[in-house]
Amino acid sequence: MAPITVKKICCIGAGYVGGPTCAVIALKCPNIIVTIVDLNQARIDAWNSDNLPIYEPGLDEVVKARRGKNLFFSTDVDKAIAEADLIFVSVNTPTKKSGIGAGFAADLNYLQLATRRIAEVSTSSKIVVEKSTVPCRTAESMRTILEANSKPGCHFQILSNPEFLAEGTAIQDLFAPDRVLIGSLQTDEGLDACKALMSVYSNWVPTERILTVGLWSSELSKLAANAMLAQRISSVNALSAICEATGANIDEVAFAVGKDSRMGSKFLKASVGFGGSCFQKDILNLVYLSESLHLPEVAKYWRAVVEMNEYQKDRFAHKVVETLFNTITGKKIAILGWAFKKDTGDTRESPSISIANHFLSEKARVTLYDPQVTESQIWLDLTNYGEVPAEPIKPHVTICESAEEACKGAEAIVVCTEWDEFKTLDWEKIYKNCPRPAFVFDGRLMLDRKALQKIGFSVVTIGSGDRP
Ligand SMILES: NC(=O)C1=CN([C@@H]2O[C@H](COP(=O)(O)OP(=O)(O)OC[C@H]3O[C@@H](n4cnc5c(N)ncnc54)[C@H](O)[C@@H]3O)[C@@H](O)[C@H]2O)C=CC1
Ligand SMILES: O=C(O)[C@H]1O[C@H](OP(=O)(O)OP(=O)(O)OC[C@H]2O[C@@H](n3ccc(=O)[nH]c3=O)[C@H](O)[C@@H]2O)[C@H](O)[C@@H](O)[C@@H]1O
């Protein structure tokens, strides 16, 4: 059979993954027409404006370079599907909120609706690529949906091509990925589809970095990668508690451990806990999968990674209260950083949310500042998207325009996100405007502890016991 040439790509889902991934494909493959579609009109309007819906360093330049040429954003899902020869499904796969598996299993409703739509509107054969993170063997149910709803003569090949980009470095990660993983059925048709997707990536990714495996291995590798990354953070955070109790220093421990070439130095930074839309969701998904496969010990093992993360967030919040002489009622506490990590405006599962809620439950007055998160998003997070009434907490929360404003008069300054600008604040000036004793809680081990102490601050850092 002649090799399949990809001329038109459709991406269903214009979110944190679909948007940057397919914008980079458009940039690197000028001969391919890329249309990114979404049901959310406001999101598509933003992609077509000067104010993109997500903040990601380098993304503006990529979009501006190709938009209107071979990169299009649209709500006309059906048209883009019908015209494409390859379709990325990049919709959200959140944790199920109700029904069987609630709280653990992935909600595959968006994925299944998108798949059904592909079958219903396609009048020619297509390659359908799972880009979303999904439980192992999801491609099988996609195939069943496609085959049951397709028109005569339309054939679908399903590939798994999980995405490994991290927010804040998405463009860099997409330009030079550690690997691109493609899973396919090991049939002639499956392998041909795999080659077609490889030909897209090989426009800029070296061939040795494009890995081809079976479908189920590909699906499981994505869950495994996130689980093992999160496990490293929970391990280092568990050790940070031991450091605080013994006087060891977690940065020194992590440095020493990471020097072992079998271990590596990356992803060993202790913190207030991991956030983001995926780590917790994907581990819970793995826990559910393990339980469904009657592997309770395996489920228990992975569940502990999430439990340790919850413990770390609680432990940090408790430490603030305990240090402020066991009460923060009526005290002003500044939280610096609301995004789940620096260089993104994404707040999904951000540790700042649970920490702020903890302070509010102790009746503190909380001031907040983040350079990228909007005030309306912070209110959505604080009210759990409208599930908790805003009125009772409103008098106790102030969202500020600058870190300095948030810190003014604060009895404690709590750094939750590692934004670079927090390193270069005028800490002397901030100190002058704080009541005594003035406390800084560094939940990211990012500030110059000695310099702050010299100014007069009492500094409490994750993973540092400060025992003589
Ligand atoms: N956010 C991240 O950094 C990463 C996410 N992933 C995975 O990628 C997937 C997508 O994640 P995000 O982009 O963060 O989600 P997102 O929520 O930002 O975007 C998903 C988009 O899909 C749209 N959508 C849902 N159903 C649709 C349908 N039937 N037709 C058209 N549009 C539809 C939604 O309106 C939304 O805009 C998830 O499975 C996630 O686990 C994987 C790697 C990194
Ligand atoms: O599937 C996904 O969604 C993505 O999840 C993570 O990417 P992301 O969540 O965007 O960001 P990370 O850099 O992994 O950080 C996650 C959380 O862990 C925290 N973290 C990270 C590293 C570290 O050493 N310590 C630490 O506390 C971060 O502050 C953040 O809250 C993975 O790194 C990506 O490979 C994956 O594609």
Side-chain angles (χ1 to χ4, degrees), residues 221-233:
S221 299
K222 174 63 195 176
L223 294 183
N226 272 0
M228 291 179 77
L229 286 168
Q231 180 202 43
R232 264 172 92 93
I233 304 172

Side-chain angles (χ1 to χ4, degrees), residues 429-449:
K429 188 168 164 206
I430 290 173
Y431 182 69
K432 283 194 190 111
N433 288 323
C434 287
R436 307 289 186 263
F439 287 100
V440 171
F441 293 86
D442 184 357
R444 292 290 186 165
L445 297 89
M446 63 170 298
L447 300 176
D448 184 340
R449 182 191 177 99

Side-chain angles (χ1 to χ4, degrees), residues 164-165 167 222 226 267 269 271 274-275 278 340-341 444:
F164 296 101
L165 67 79
E167 289 177 29
K222 174 63 195 176
N226 272 0
F267 243 74
K269 190 78 183 166
S271 65
F274 59 75
C278 293
F340 79 96
K341 62 185 280 198
R444 292 290 186 165

Side-chain angles (χ1 to χ4, degrees), residues 181-423:
L181 183 62
I182 306 176
S184 68
L185 281 185
Q186 304 300 301
T187 57
D188 288 348
E189 296 81 2
L191 294 170
D192 284 342
C194 180
K195 277 191 198 132
L197 184 57
M198 279 173 81
S199 73
V200 173
Y201 283 111
S202 56
N203 279 295
W204 78 99
V205 180
T207 323
E208 65 275 13
R209 293 202 174 203
I210 304 178
L211 316 182
T212 56
V213 296
L215 267 175
W216 323 130
S217 302
S218 174
E219 290 176 335
L220 187 57
S221 299
K222 174 63 195 176
L223 294 183
N226 272 0
M228 291 179 77
L229 286 168
Q231 180 202 43
R232 264 172 92 93
I233 304 172
S234 277
S235 299
V236 86
N237 283 342
L239 291 165
S240 76
I242 299 183
C243 287
E244 286 163 38
T246 55
N249 177 301
I250 192 61
D251 262 349
E252 290 176 355
V253 173
F255 180 73
V257 169
K259 276 289 173 193
D260 187 324
S261 61
R262 292 170 301 174
M263 215 93 69
S265 61
K266 292 183 184 166
F267 243 74
L268 284 178
K269 190 78 183 166
S271 65
V272 280
F274 59 75
S277 63
C278 293
F279 278 175
Q280 177 174 310
K281 152 177 96 65
D282 294 347
I283 295 174
L284 295 176
N285 194 336
L286 199 57
V287 169
Y288 184 71
L289 182 72
S290 310
E291 269 166 4
S292 315
L293 297 169
H294 308 293
L295 301 168
E297 289 80 5
V298 180
K300 190 173 160 206
Y301 175 77
W302 289 113
R303 195 195 301 248
V305 173
V306 174
E307 285 168 358
M308 180 51 63
N309 197 49
E310 290 303 309
Y311 169 71
Q312 185 76 348
K313 290 187 275 184
D314 286 351
R315 203 170 72 75
F316 184 64
H318 281 143
K319 187 145 201 159
V320 174
V321 180
E322 197 183 290
T323 311
L324 293 184
F325 317 106
N326 292 313
T327 177
I328 55 169
T329 304
K331 292 182 183 169
K332 184 169 172 178
I333 307 211
I335 295 183
L336 299 188
W338 194 255
F340 79 96
K341 62 185 280 198
K342 74 170 181 179
D343 291 339
T344 177
D346 194 353
T347 63
R348 291 177 289 179
E349 305 294 338
S350 176
S352 303
I353 303 172
S354 15
I355 290 166
N357 281 331
H358 191 105
F359 295 162
L360 288 169
S361 73
E362 296 271 353
K363 307 255 179 300
R365 291 181 297 136
V366 177
T367 54
L368 304 169
Y369 167 70
D370 188 284
Q372 280 300 331
V373 182
T374 59
E375 184 162 346
S376 55
Q377 182 60 49
I378 294 178
W379 280 112
L380 285 174
D381 294 331
L382 282 172
T383 58
N384 197 13
Y385 282 74
E387 279 179 25
V388 177
E391 292 318 315
I393 51 173
K394 268 209 162 131
H396 307 285
V397 177
T398 311
I399 297 162
C400 302
E401 294 291 316
S402 71
E404 237 176 64
E405 186 193 334
C407 295
K408 203 167 187 180
E411 299 197 33
I413 298 167
V414 182
V415 177
C416 287
T417 313
E418 73 283 24
W419 285 103
D420 289 336
E421 67 173 69
F422 299 155
K423 286 188 190 151

